[in-house]
Amino acid sequence: MIKDRVRTEAYRAAIFQHSDFIKDKVVLDVGCGTGILSIFCAFAGARKVYAVDASEIAIQAREVVKTNGLSETVVVLVGRIEEVQIEEEVDVIISEWMGYMLLYESMLSSVIFARDRWLKPGGIILPSHATLYLAPITNVERYAESIDFWRDVYGIDMSAMLPLAKQCSFEEPCVESITAENVMSWPETLRPIRCYANTVDRLPSLSSCYRIFTGMAGPLHGFALWFDVKFSGATPSSSDTQSGTWLESSLSNGSHVNGMFQKVKHARIADEIILSTAPEEAPTHWQQTILYIYDPRDVKQDEQISGSITMSQSRENPRFLNIHLEYKCGGRCYVKETVMR
């Protein structure tokens, strides 16, 4: 993740952009890993940084902090955020909590716990907002490589392998990179998350309906999910409440030009830093998450694709994410159920 320059430089830029909130203040880094974000905060003038991680990487983080002469400023705590002891409130919470598809193995619940336990009134959270998107895709090369290959293997018809090939290649979500050329429509916003306002009870599941109009004709091979996060210094008493209400009311009014909406939103607040994992942006280690369908469906330009998607924690293992996708195109309804493990 440190080698992911898009991710790391976005966090560094956000920290220094918000140095007025950080200088001489107390910062809590939730899931600090090697401690790089904590060190950025120290460089930005923080009086104290509590760097917390449940894994043994925190031991190495402590050595990194010591090597850089910051042991008096950065305090590394080994343990779950829900179990460590911090004897003072904090002015800033920073965390790189996002997982694949935003929610898979994310640490958002830990950030919310830290917010409710230690964040001072008027304190800030970085990043402050996150949004998950969905769009239909076409990917002829990927399908040909994984599936069509079996139709002629060195002159042998091995099409009997097709059902197994589809299952092995596309049964579970695929984390891979696509390009903007693969995306068949403007993306649909599935859920805006406001780190100041969300509660833990809302996190285990997500359910959203969508209605998309294709911008191109071609074979529909599946659906891509990606996210962006915003680093805003706004507190919940100011623009967070207003922008969050504006965003959710826009969605409830049935606007389906969400790609245009996203561009307008970004243009409105030009000084806000956005870390995006969209296909048209520079690639990140999150890439995109693809829900491939077994059999492509030919769609026309301006054709409507509608349905719903539900994501929920697996009962057998909370780390797993159950996904139920329904989609309707060409007058027929289809269902894909999968588990992200």
Side-chain angles (χ1 to χ4, degrees):
M1 287 189 291
I2 292 177
K3 290 182 178 180
D4 184 342
R5 298 189 67 89
V6 176
R7 168 257 191 196
T8 304
E9 290 182 350
Y11 270 87
R12 180 173 62 178
I15 288 167
F16 283 97
Q17 185 184 66
H18 293 89
S19 59
D20 288 346
F21 292 93
I22 294 173
K23 184 175 175 57
D24 300 323
K25 301 294 180 62
V26 180
V27 178
L28 174 57
D29 182 356
V30 179
C32 68
T34 57
I36 189 169
L37 302 186
S38 296
I39 292 174
F40 287 158
C41 290
F43 288 166
R47 173 175 64 82
K48 183 71 69 177
V49 181
Y50 293 97
V52 181
D53 202 288
S55 71
E56 293 186 358
I57 193 65
I59 298 173
Q60 278 71 46
R62 192 173 287 153
E63 293 302 313
V64 173
V65 168
K66 181 179 178 181
T67 300
N68 285 272
L70 295 171
S71 296
E72 295 297 317
T73 301
V74 181
V75 178
V76 181
L77 302 175
V78 183
R80 297 176 65 244
I81 192 67
E82 294 82 0
E83 297 171 352
V84 299
Q85 297 297 317
I86 299 174
E87 301 302 328
E88 60 181 322
E89 292 185 319
V90 304
D91 302 281
V92 179
I93 292 176
I94 191 164
S95 179
E96 198 268 73
W97 55 264
M98 303 81 71
Y100 295 116
M101 203 167 50
L102 186 63
L103 299 177
Y104 176 66
E105 290 191 335
S106 85
M107 295 193 304
L108 181 55
S109 61
S110 296
V111 172
I112 291 174
F113 176 90
R115 177 200 71 191
D116 295 343
R117 175 67 178 83
W118 289 294
L119 188 64
K120 291 179 181 178
I124 68 168
I125 304 173
L126 300 174
S128 54
H129 302 71
T131 308
L132 180 64
Y133 302 97
L134 175 142
I137 67 158
T138 186
N139 198 341
V140 175
E141 292 182 1
R142 175 74 158 84
Y143 198 87
E145 175 187 296
S146 302
I147 307 302
D148 291 339
F149 164 81
W150 296 101
R151 302 184 191 279
D152 182 355
V153 183
Y154 301 103
I156 302 171
D157 182 356
M158 300 189 72
S159 56
M161 290 289 295
L162 290 178
L164 180 60
K166 292 175 181 179
Q167 181 179 3
C168 292
S169 299
F170 300 145
E171 181 177 17
E172 295 186 5
C174 300
V175 177
E176 57 190 51
S177 292
I178 57 173
T179 68
E181 285 71 26
N182 296 115
V183 181
M184 304 184 78
S185 76
W186 292 119
E188 179 84 352
T189 300
L190 295 183
R191 171 182 279 189
I193 292 174
R194 294 177 291 156
C195 294
Y196 296 113
N198 270 84
T199 56
V200 173
D201 61 300
R202 292 188 62 195
L203 298 182
S205 64
L206 174 154
S207 185
S208 180
C209 296
Y210 62 88
R211 183 159 62 100
I212 293 170
F213 295 90
T214 58
M216 59 187 290
L220 169 67
H221 288 109
F223 295 82
L225 296 111
W226 65 84
F227 65 88
D228 62 31
V229 295
K230 179 172 68 175
F231 298 85
S232 172
T235 63
S237 60
S238 55
S239 67
D240 177 75
T241 302
Q242 297 170 6
S243 63
T245 303
W246 175 64
L247 173 57
E248 290 168 1
S249 63
S250 296
L251 296 175
S252 64
N253 287 337
S255 171
H256 301 287
V257 195
N258 288 297
M260 294 175 63
F261 166 72
Q262 184 181 3
K263 288 180 172 61
V264 171
K265 179 180 67 169
H266 290 183
R268 284 183 59 179
I269 313 175
D271 61 336
E272 286 183 334
I273 294 174
I274 306 289
L275 169 56
S276 175
T277 65
E280 68 270 19
E281 302 293 344
T284 70
H285 75 278
W286 289 285
Q287 301 178 282
Q288 291 83 43
T289 301
I290 316 297
L291 307 179
Y292 283 104
I293 59 179
Y294 287 164
D295 299 302
R297 318 288 179 190
D298 288 327
V299 297
K300 302 174 183 178
Q301 185 172 348
D302 299 322
E303 182 173 339
Q304 177 178 298
I305 302 174
S306 61
S308 64
I309 184 169
T310 300
M311 305 180 196
S312 59
Q313 285 183 342
S314 171
R315 292 183 179 180
E316 64 179 74
N317 189 328
R319 291 180 59 251
F320 296 169
L321 197 62
N322 293 329
I323 303 171
H324 178 91
L325 173 71
E326 297 182 8
Y327 58 100
K328 180 179 180 180
C329 61
R332 297 186 61 183
C333 297
Y334 306 93
V335 175
K336 178 179 178 66
E337 291 194 356
T338 184
V339 179
M340 194 160 189
R341 306 175 189 273

